[in-house]
Each structure stands twice: as C-alpha cells, then as structure tokens.
Amino acid sequence: MIRVLLVDDQKLVRSGLRAILDGEDDIDVVGEAGDGARALRSAVELRPDVVLMDVKMPGMDGLAATRRILADTRCRGSKIVVLTTFDLDEYVYEALRLGASGFLLKDSDPIELIHGVRVVARGDAMLAPQVTARLIGEFAHRVRPARKRFDVLTEREREVMDLVAAGRSNDEIAAELVVSPATVKTHVSRILTKLGVRDRVHLVVLAHTT
C-alpha cells in the first residue's frame, strides 16, 4: 500500500486529489496539510511514502517544507512530488535541486497523477511531459556542457541512459534491450553512481544538457 500525504493550501484541491487517489486499491491517503509547517509535522508523524506538495502556500512554502522534510532523518524514505503550474519554472528548478523526486501539473490527467505516485513510490522519478521541455531549457542555461563526463559509461550504460532520457520505464527498456528489468535497474544504479547524480530526473536533465 502506497501511503500519500496531500499538501495544498486549497481544501478544494486536496479534496479533488483525495477523490482521485482514494479510488485506487494500492494507494492510501493518510493525511492532509494546508501549509508547509503542518506538512512537516504530518510527514514526521505519518511517514508517508509520497508527499504531493504544492509550492505556493502561506507561511512555510512548499520549497521550505521540501527542504525540511528531505533533511529530517525521521522522514527518511518519503518522496516528494511537487505540484506546479506553467508559470512556476523557478520553483521547479529549486525543488529539483533540493531533491524532489517528481513534478506534476495541477491540471494533470487523473491517470497521470496516479501513475506519478506509483512511479515515485517505487523509487523512480516522475516529470510531467509538459514540464520536462521547459525544465531542460532552464537547465541548458545553467549547466556547462561536459560531454567527457559520459566517458566513464560503458556502451550498454550509454544505451540505457539514452532510453531513460527518452522517458522509458525500466520495463520498457528491458523489453527493447532484451534483458530483465532487474538488469536495467542495476545499469541505472551504476549510471547514477558513475555520473554522480541523485536520481532519474537529474539523469534526464543531464542527458539533455550535455
């Protein structure tokens, strides 16, 4: 069962998210919070697997709450998915730097929301397709190209990295390369370690900006 904490200052938004997620047999909405301070307290108390975090809230905003939650050892294992809108690119960039595991638009299709929660809960990262191009564009202005960085990868690891950058899941990569999903997971883990990046989100950005 995937335990989810909803964080948004608008009760109507939280109610909508809960209505979507409560209909899934493998997802349990364990709590709600209307600001960052309450989100931190709830995360410590409830130990959710996934926190759906709004960024613009009164008092402690979503970025501050993300920083505090990910730094608190009592919340170890909790993943944060940031809920954003098109006009909040700077918030998205900062949340990524802080360690958020995914980004979804508030008007995402319910299926996309459910999929995002599941993907992040199993340890992968999730970027809404609408956000990806804008985020990569933002990083392109901030990150200096360093193609030699990829020299540490084997030919197969580069294949896997390219497929991850194309948005493929481990199962899809496994099918294309005719290997097991476990093998793909091992390759991805080695790639992240060799390149010194935190997760798949950072790997996607790195692959598109170098």
Side-chain angles (χ1 to χ4, degrees):
M1 185 66 71
I2 302 170
R3 295 164 55 80
V4 177
L5 172 63
L6 305 177
V7 183
D8 195 291
D9 62 329
Q10 297 183 44
K11 186 174 181 179
L12 185 61
V13 172
R14 299 198 307 270
S15 296
L17 294 172
R18 178 182 282 275
I20 293 170
L21 298 175
D22 273 346
E24 301 303 308
D25 293 338
D26 60 336
I27 298 176
D28 181 20
V29 177
V30 296
E32 299 182 17
D35 57 63
R38 192 168 302 174
L40 176 59
R41 293 195 298 271
S42 296
V44 169
E45 176 185 353
L46 301 171
R47 310 289 180 86
D49 299 303
V50 177
V51 180
L52 290 179
M53 179 78 73
D54 186 22
V55 288
K56 294 190 72 175
M57 295 182 291
M60 184 190 296
D61 66 14
L63 292 181
T66 294
R67 182 187 300 107
R68 296 278 296 275
I69 290 172
L70 294 178
D72 195 314
T73 57
R74 294 170 296 178
C75 301
R76 185 175 290 126
S78 292
K79 308 291 186 181
I80 294 181
V81 176
V82 174
L83 299 175
T84 186
T85 55
F86 275 125
D87 60 337
L88 296 177
D89 291 330
E90 186 62 30
Y91 289 96
V92 172
Y93 176 86
E94 180 64 13
L96 175 60
R97 189 185 68 79
L98 292 172
S101 295
F103 304 92
L104 287 169
L105 298 179
K106 283 193 172 183
D107 60 354
S108 293
D109 185 279
I111 294 177
E112 188 176 3
L113 172 66
I114 295 166
H115 173 67
V117 168
R118 288 172 175 154
V119 165
V120 170
R122 68 175 181 245
D124 290 333
M126 172 68 184
L127 280 175
Q130 305 95 318
V131 175
T132 304
R134 296 171 66 86
L135 183 61
I136 289 171
E138 178 70 15
F139 264 79
H141 294 295
R142 299 169 182 252
V143 181
R144 184 181 298 277
R147 295 184 182 278
K148 289 185 178 179
R149 187 172 183 178
F150 297 142
D151 289 348
V152 298
L153 303 180
T154 65
E155 184 176 347
R156 175 47 61 94
E157 287 169 348
R158 290 194 186 197
E159 279 186 284
V160 172
M161 183 187 71
D162 288 341
L163 291 171
V164 170
R168 306 287 183 82
S169 68
N170 284 357
D171 287 343
E172 291 170 335
I173 296 172
E176 182 156 340
L177 299 182
V178 195
V179 297
S180 70
T183 297
V184 174
K185 187 174 182 179
T186 297
H187 282 312
V188 172
S189 179
R190 288 175 179 168
I191 293 168
L192 296 178
T193 299
K194 287 183 177 181
L195 298 181
V197 293
R198 181 184 295 117
D199 54 34
R200 293 171 80 104
V201 172
H202 289 77
L203 181 58
V204 170
V205 172
L206 182 67
H208 282 278
T209 58
T210 58

